[in-house]
Amino acid sequence: MSVNIAVVGSGFWGKNLVRNFSELGVLHTVCDADLVVEANVRAKYQNVLYRLNYADVLSDDSVRGVVLATPAISHFEMVKLALEANKDVFVEKPLALHVNEGEELVELAARRGSVLMVGHILQYHPAVRKLKGLIDDGSLGRVDYIYSNRLNMGRIRTEENTLWSLAPHDISVLLSLLGEEPQLVTCEGGSYLGKDISDVTLSQFCFANGVRAHIFVSWLHPFKEHRLVVVGSEQMAVFDDTALDKLVLYPHRVERRDRPLNAVKTDGEPVSLEIAEPLRNECREFLECMVSRRHPLTDGSEGLRVLRVLSACQRAMEARSTVSIGAKSVAAKKPYFVHATATVDEPCEIGEGTKIWHYSHILKGAKIGKSCIFGQNCQVAENVIVGNNVKVQNNVSIYAGTVIEDDVFLGPSCVLTNVTNPRSQVNRHSLYEKITFHRGATIGANATIVCGIELGSYCFVGAGAVVTKDVPDYALMVGNPARQIGWMSRHGHRLADPDKNGVMLCPESGLRYQEIEPGVMRCLDLDENSPLPVEMGTGTRSYDEFKALGSLQGAAI
């Protein structure tokens, strides 16, 4: 798979992304409207295409990944356009400026089966990775308090305040270290250089597990300070990105046998870390996810969590009051149904109205859309993406590497695979092959789908068929190996022979279909990417009636 990358925006931070992707050997295009930038890029990167217009990047099929280092106000529209152009996307923080926009992007990426990654670079810092490991394995004891200072003199923004400019990285790390979102948020800000832009903000957080935290950010500070402190019951940890020793542990303790309490201090103990540039780690993560199709550490859902907290901080600052964001979501009834015998591993995403029935198992990292149904004894593996209104019948396992778009039907005991040449002695966990079920596809009972293929929109695979190659849209497939014997309508009826104009008619809906070129079927009355109109979504006549009609028209399956 080609992983050609286009970096859009080559200014203050974008030039660092250009350098890294060039050194990784995947930089294909740089896009920036600044002619001075163009001259510099052409001089330094002779074998790279240069584009002045973003539309030219999106229309270039040789570009598979788009990296956006543009102003935050542009992120939503530019990410959306890239996803709609079937590109994988790495966008600098924040994901968007509004929660509903972030939700739309995450849902769109899931539907498209695209990689969506947010540039929360501290998550790729060796010190932060080590710190999370120390917290997770209990080395610090119980975490009581976390604070982060991100202070400097300059780079002063006029289009966004310090909260949105500087705090996203620290919020991302905070949520990662604690593994949950805060319940309560307060935030105060001060505007000294302009009326409406806060140059200094202090955000405070309360978590359900009792941890409290604050994040202090400013671009009006006499010296640079990037420091995060974790206060644990057994040890304290200091991550200082400006220091020679990036991560230091302090095994301080408090003697409690006498009053008053006595603090016993000790010398700091530097922690050995791998030598790696965080940005290089971040760029590699994007490339690896493009190839493996797994979710990045800072995927769209992680970016959305940060966006929710940022939005809550902004509301708290404007209202000068405490904002509740976690308490309601923790106490609220989940918007989906899980039977008592089913297992759902956290974290995962399950949409509203979805039902998971007896003895089924949803593994962590799975993303399942709205109004889906999983029958008895189903399994959805890690990082599988399932769209909306998907019906999965009993005894179906959906393995890693599978992407299922909206309105797909998987019949009872159908078999999916993700390795063409499996051997028990050969570990291919990082080499899973992809199966993509495009919108509206139907797979019959006991059919087998061999990996590495795509099944077209509204195709229909008969019971027991063995599918070994790509299936066209609307194709009717039967046999072993499966072969195409006709075309199916969106309502699941075999289409009769065309009339003199080449048009085929669905006997139930009356929708017209035509083979617009050899092997390419299209509905003349509806867009393939649109859901059925509500009035067409309920059957009104039994299949026996249509069988009789089909035998007269030569359209029976």
Side-chain angles (χ1 to χ4, degrees):
M1 171 185 172
S2 171
V3 289
N4 289 338
I5 296 297
V7 177
V8 183
S10 185
F12 174 79
W13 186 249
K15 64 179 183 291
N16 298 315
L17 290 161
V18 169
R19 170 180 60 83
N20 270 274
F21 283 112
S22 175
E23 292 173 357
L24 288 168
V26 295
L27 183 65
H28 180 277
T29 299
V30 175
C31 177
D32 198 301
D34 190 327
L35 296 180
V36 174
V37 171
E38 178 182 8
N40 292 335
V41 169
R42 290 191 184 279
K44 194 169 184 179
Y45 306 98
Q46 289 86 0
N47 296 323
V48 173
L49 292 178
Y50 195 91
R51 305 286 193 187
L52 294 174
N53 298 314
Y54 186 46
D56 294 334
V57 174
L58 300 182
S59 64
D60 188 344
D61 291 337
S62 59
V63 171
R64 285 298 308 127
V66 172
V67 178
L68 296 172
T70 58
I73 195 171
S74 71
H75 287 182
F76 171 67
E77 288 296 338
M78 297 186 78
V79 172
K80 184 177 180 181
L81 288 171
L83 292 173
E84 290 175 339
N86 293 319
K87 311 293 187 188
D88 293 326
V89 181
F90 169 9
V91 58
E92 281 300 329
K93 54 79 184 171
L95 173 62
L97 294 182
H98 302 284
V99 172
N100 64 319
E101 293 177 345
E103 291 172 340
E104 182 177 342
L105 295 178
V106 171
E107 184 176 340
L108 177 59
R111 281 203 315 272
R112 294 278 182 171
S114 301
V115 174
L116 176 57
M117 175 170 163
V118 183
H120 293 147
I121 190 172
L122 283 183
Q123 295 255 27
Y124 302 92
H125 197 298
V128 173
R129 288 181 170 182
K130 183 66 175 180
L131 178 57
K132 179 167 175 55
L134 293 171
I135 291 175
D136 290 346
D137 67 20
S139 296
L140 304 188
R142 181 191 64 252
V143 175
D144 292 326
Y145 187 77
I146 298 177
Y147 77 80
S148 177
N149 290 346
R150 182 169 296 273
L151 315 169
N152 204 356
M153 182 63 196
R155 199 170 170 249
I156 298 167
R157 305 292 185 93
T158 57
E159 70 277 5
E160 60 190 22
N161 61 30
T162 51
L163 174 69
W164 288 85
S165 179
L166 302 179
H169 293 304
D170 303 281
I171 292 174
S172 175
V173 171
L174 181 63
L175 301 188
S176 174
L177 294 181
L178 296 178
E180 62 176 289
E181 296 180 37
Q183 288 185 306
L184 302 174
V185 171
T186 60
C187 184
E188 297 178 356
S191 303
Y192 308 105
L193 302 179
K195 182 178 180 181
D196 299 321
I197 304 293
S198 294
D199 306 299
V200 178
T201 61
L202 175 64
S203 305
Q204 299 185 75
F205 310 92
C206 297
F207 291 83
N209 59 9
V211 177
R212 290 179 177 266
H214 82 241
I215 294 174
F216 178 34
V217 294
S218 172
W219 52 46
L220 286 180
H221 196 73
F223 56 87
K224 185 176 183 178
E225 180 181 345
H226 291 176
R227 180 180 296 158
L228 181 141
V229 176
V230 180
V231 178
S233 60
E234 302 299 324
Q235 295 191 88
M236 302 178 187
V238 177
F239 163 50
D240 190 340
D241 205 19
T242 64
L244 181 62
D245 294 320
K246 303 295 184 184
L247 182 62
V248 179
L249 296 181
Y250 292 86
H252 299 327
R253 69 181 189 279
V254 176
E255 294 182 345
R256 301 175 180 272
R257 287 177 291 180
D258 301 317
R259 297 288 181 175
L261 299 177
N262 184 36
V264 180
K265 297 182 180 180
T266 62
D267 293 332
E269 301 173 357
V271 177
S272 178
L273 303 170
E274 64 171 323
I275 300 175
E277 180 186 2
L279 183 56
R280 180 62 59 88
N281 288 342
E282 189 175 40
C283 293
R284 282 201 180 102
E285 173 83 349
F286 183 52
L287 299 179
E288 290 171 3
C289 291
M290 287 182 65
V291 174
S292 68
R293 311 313 296 170
R294 66 175 174 83
H295 290 285
L297 176 64
T298 55
D299 64 0
S301 296
E302 192 271 346
L304 181 57
R305 289 191 290 272
V306 172
L307 182 57
R308 288 194 187 103
V309 175
L310 276 170
S311 180
C313 290
Q314 182 68 38
R315 296 198 309 272
M317 182 166 57
E318 292 172 353
R320 299 190 178 189
S321 65
T322 300
V323 169
S324 173
I325 57 173
K328 181 177 179 181
S329 62
V330 169
K333 182 179 179 181
K334 292 180 178 179
Y336 54 86
F337 169 81
V338 178
H339 190 268
T341 62
T343 301
V344 175
D345 296 339
E346 298 291 349
C348 65
E349 294 183 18
I350 301 176
E352 181 180 357
T354 288
K355 296 180 180 179
I356 300 165
W357 288 101
H358 309 66
Y359 304 108
S360 289
H361 186 186
I362 311 299
L363 278 70
K364 67 179 181 180
K367 294 189 175 183
I368 297 171
K370 300 176 182 178
S371 302
C372 297
I373 296 177
F374 291 84
Q376 180 174 307
N377 195 36
C378 295
Q379 177 176 297
V380 181
E382 290 185 6
N383 301 324
V384 163
I385 298 172
V386 179
N388 300 319
N389 193 41
V390 172
K391 305 297 187 290
V392 181
Q393 303 303 295
N394 296 350
N395 306 314
V396 177
S397 293
I398 303 173
Y399 298 114
T402 305
V403 175
I404 301 174
E405 295 184 356
D406 294 353
D407 305 318
V408 168
F409 179 95
L410 300 183
S413 301
C414 68
V415 177
L416 315 185
T417 63
N418 62 2
V419 176
T420 299
N421 57 336
R423 289 291 197 192
S424 179
Q425 293 178 323
V426 182
N427 186 326
R428 292 191 172 95
H429 288 172
S430 63
L431 303 172
Y432 290 141
E433 298 166 64
K434 186 176 181 180
I435 299 177
T436 300
F437 296 86
H438 289 290
R439 184 174 197 146
T442 289
I443 310 302
N446 295 301
T448 298
I449 311 299
V450 176
C451 55
I453 66 172
E454 296 190 27
L455 293 96
S457 297
Y458 303 103
C459 70
F460 198 105
V461 176
V466 178
V467 183
T468 61
K469 58 185 179 180
D470 290 352
V471 176
D473 297 346
Y474 298 103
L476 172 59
M477 308 292 293
V478 299
N480 180 7
R483 67 192 189 283
Q484 183 177 354
I485 63 168
W487 300 103
M488 295 289 280
S489 74
R490 285 182 65 164
H491 280 72
H493 296 281
R494 186 173 180 182
L495 295 170
D497 294 335
D499 62 17
K500 63 181 180 180
N501 297 315
V503 175
M504 308 176 194
L505 200 66
C506 173
E508 182 171 6
S509 67
L511 294 175
R512 300 170 302 146
Y513 296 81
Q514 188 173 35
E515 198 170 352
I516 60 173
E517 58 182 82
V520 180
M521 178 65 69
R522 289 290 178 264
C523 179
L524 301 179
D525 301 311
L526 290 177
D527 182 353
E528 277 73 20
N529 294 320
S530 300
L532 279 173
V534 174
E535 63 273 15
M536 289 188 176
T538 302
T540 57
R541 298 166 64 185
S542 72
Y543 187 67
D544 286 342
E545 294 182 61
F546 290 108
K547 278 202 299 186
L549 178 63
S551 64
L552 295 174
Q553 296 181 339
I557 296 174

